Amino acid sequence: MLYKNIFDNTNIAFSLKSDSELERAYFLFKMISVEPLVRIGTAATNFALKANLPIEGLIRSTVFDHFCGGINEEDCLPVINRMYEKGVSSVLDYSVEGKESEEEFDNALQTVLKIIEFAKALDAIPIAVFKPSGFGRFELYEKKNKNLKLNIDETEEWKRVEARFHAVCKKAKAYDVAVLIDAEESWIQDAADVLITQMMKVYNTEKAIVYNTLQMYRHDRMNFLKNEHAKAKTDGYYLGYKLVRGAYMEKENDRAKEMKYKSPICKSKQATDENFNTALRYMTDYLDCMSIFAGTHNEESCYLLMKLMSEKNILNNDPCIWFGQLYGMSDHISFNLANLGYNIAKYVPFGPVKDVMPYLIRRAEENTSVAGQTGRELALIKKEKQRRKLL
């Protein structure tokens, strides 16, 4: 295998972490590895925040600072600059969730537009990101998804959602900054997909500026990708896709069971892995009209993409291929790939501590549920601690 075992180099992986930061990471992943502790800690934290107990400082100095860049864009700059010195770029992710009002959607829009301006000024931020439900009500997407007729007020509301998408994509194209549009639950994703395809037609005329997200734990996504490819060839625009495995598996399966329809989720982890890797193979065959952001913490998928690039004589830093991981996770992948000259970007979440808690809880639950992930993080941190003791 090409570059076999490169991800075992802990000196490169944790070069930015001080001894105390390494100890904090070890402590956090050790805690996350115990599922009952995650459940209890989540409940206690939610209670404390709702009761306005003074725990934000504690959260900030532990889990927040490990998984988030800061409370605002400027607060993230030290993290962004330090990583970029090692060749790792940043995707600033305004990780405030569950908003419902037009004012909150407009605030989210202004934040994303500001990030694009930030990105234009800093080489370290080549990509912006937003979530469809950050720009409009979940229930509105759901109604569009079912092809139900909108009333007059809802029609105007949907026009405002479209206008927010256009505002971001237009500015992204003018500033030559790629914009990733994150995925949603399957029961609103079709509505988001239609809107994002419209954006691609308008703004991906010279290259991929607008990227949709494919959750490859869905068994229908390869067919979707091929159909979108056919449309793009016919209409003459470029495609950009962020490939991920997916974020709502339990929620998707539970809803399908409850409402008695076939789950959109692959039957096994292996089937999801195969689906993800099939998409990598397909997209690297069509780099003349597609761009890939491979959002993965899976070492084998990273090795596969490296192998495909080598076999097809694609340069490590080809602008059409990016690898991406979340800040605070899988540094052994991010920094070792960057050391070899690949395009790497870390998703750097930011926002007020209280508002970012749903994101942080999801990260903790994800690390608990993904087999082997936390164990791998702990083993690598332990290896680096031992290496430093011998210096």
Side-chain angles (χ1 to χ4, degrees), residues 225-273:
L225 174 58
K226 290 174 182 177
N227 290 337
E228 291 296 300
H229 186 196
K231 285 185 207 171
K233 281 196 289 188
T234 300
D235 292 340
Y237 59 91
Y238 292 80
L239 293 173
Y241 285 106
K242 181 176 76 161
L243 298 179
V244 299
R245 278 168 168 78
Y248 309 106
M249 185 172 70
E250 290 181 7
K251 198 175 182 181
E252 292 279 0
N253 284 331
D254 288 347
R255 186 177 189 268
K257 188 176 179 180
E258 183 185 332
M259 300 181 71
K260 296 182 171 55
Y261 62 84
K262 184 183 176 184
S263 173
I265 307 301
C266 292
K267 291 192 181 298
S268 66
K269 169 76 163 58
Q270 183 183 349
T272 296
D273 291 343

Side-chain angles (χ1 to χ4, degrees), residues 88-91 126-127 293 322-326 334 343-347:
V88 176
S89 298
S90 296
V91 180
I127 301 165
F293 186 98
W322 282 80
F323 294 78
Q325 289 80 43
L326 296 168
S334 307
N343 294 322
I344 308 295
K346 285 278 204 186
Y347 255 59

Side-chain angles (χ1 to χ4, degrees), residues 72-108:
N72 55 44
E73 302 93 329
E74 290 81 6
D75 202 22
C76 295
L77 280 173
V79 164
I80 292 166
N81 291 332
R82 284 176 71 209
M83 289 201 298
Y84 196 60
E85 287 173 8
K86 301 292 183 180
V88 176
S89 298
S90 296
V91 180
L92 275 180
D93 182 14
Y94 183 55
S95 295
V96 174
E97 303 178 0
K99 301 303 181 185
E100 288 287 321
S101 73
E102 291 293 299
E103 182 183 2
E104 288 167 329
F105 299 142
D106 285 337
N107 286 342

Side-chain angles (χ1 to χ4, degrees), residues 78-254:
V79 164
I80 292 166
N81 291 332
R82 284 176 71 209
M83 289 201 298
Y84 196 60
E85 287 173 8
K86 301 292 183 180
V88 176
S89 298
S90 296
V91 180
L92 275 180
D93 182 14
Y94 183 55
S95 295
V96 174
E97 303 178 0
K99 301 303 181 185
E100 288 287 321
S101 73
E102 291 293 299
E103 182 183 2
E104 288 167 329
F105 299 142
D106 285 337
N107 286 342
L109 168 63
Q110 293 308 316
T111 300
V112 177
L113 293 175
K114 187 177 178 183
I115 289 169
I116 293 171
E117 291 172 4
F118 236 61
K120 179 66 175 174
L122 289 173
D123 291 339
I125 312 176
I127 301 165
V129 64
F130 71 91
K131 207 166 168 19
S133 57
F135 282 2
R137 280 190 307 116
F138 193 95
E139 291 77 11
L140 186 66
Y141 282 102
E142 199 168 7
K143 198 165 181 180
K144 286 289 290 185
N145 213 76
K146 294 175 180 175
N147 292 315
L148 298 174
K149 185 174 176 60
L150 304 183
N151 63 35
I152 293 172
D153 289 342
E154 289 169 338
T155 300
E156 290 304 310
E157 190 181 353
W158 185 252
K159 285 179 182 176
R160 290 193 293 272
V161 173
E162 292 179 320
R164 292 181 189 110
F165 271 70
H166 275 293
V168 167
C169 297
K170 183 177 181 180
K171 188 157 198 168
K173 181 167 184 175
Y175 281 33
D176 195 26
V177 172
V179 59
L180 307 176
I181 304 177
D182 278 343
E184 300 279 3
E185 290 88 342
S186 62
W187 54 99
I188 71 165
Q189 187 62 51
D190 288 354
D193 286 338
V194 170
L195 190 48
I196 296 165
T197 296
Q198 289 172 13
M199 298 300 123
M200 288 188 183
K201 284 182 183 178
V202 175
Y203 301 104
N204 287 4
T205 50
E206 284 91 36
K207 64 176 184 177
I209 289 289
V210 180
Y211 286 63
N212 200 351
T213 298
L214 300 180
Q215 298 189 97
M216 300 312 295
Y217 67 4
R218 285 183 55 172
H219 47 68
D220 63 349
R221 291 297 85 179
M222 270 310 303
N223 283 338
F224 175 83
L225 174 58
K226 290 174 182 177
N227 290 337
E228 291 296 300
H229 186 196
K231 285 185 207 171
K233 281 196 289 188
T234 300
D235 292 340
Y237 59 91
Y238 292 80
L239 293 173
Y241 285 106
K242 181 176 76 161
L243 298 179
V244 299
R245 278 168 168 78
Y248 309 106
M249 185 172 70
E250 290 181 7
K251 198 175 182 181
E252 292 279 0
N253 284 331
D254 288 347

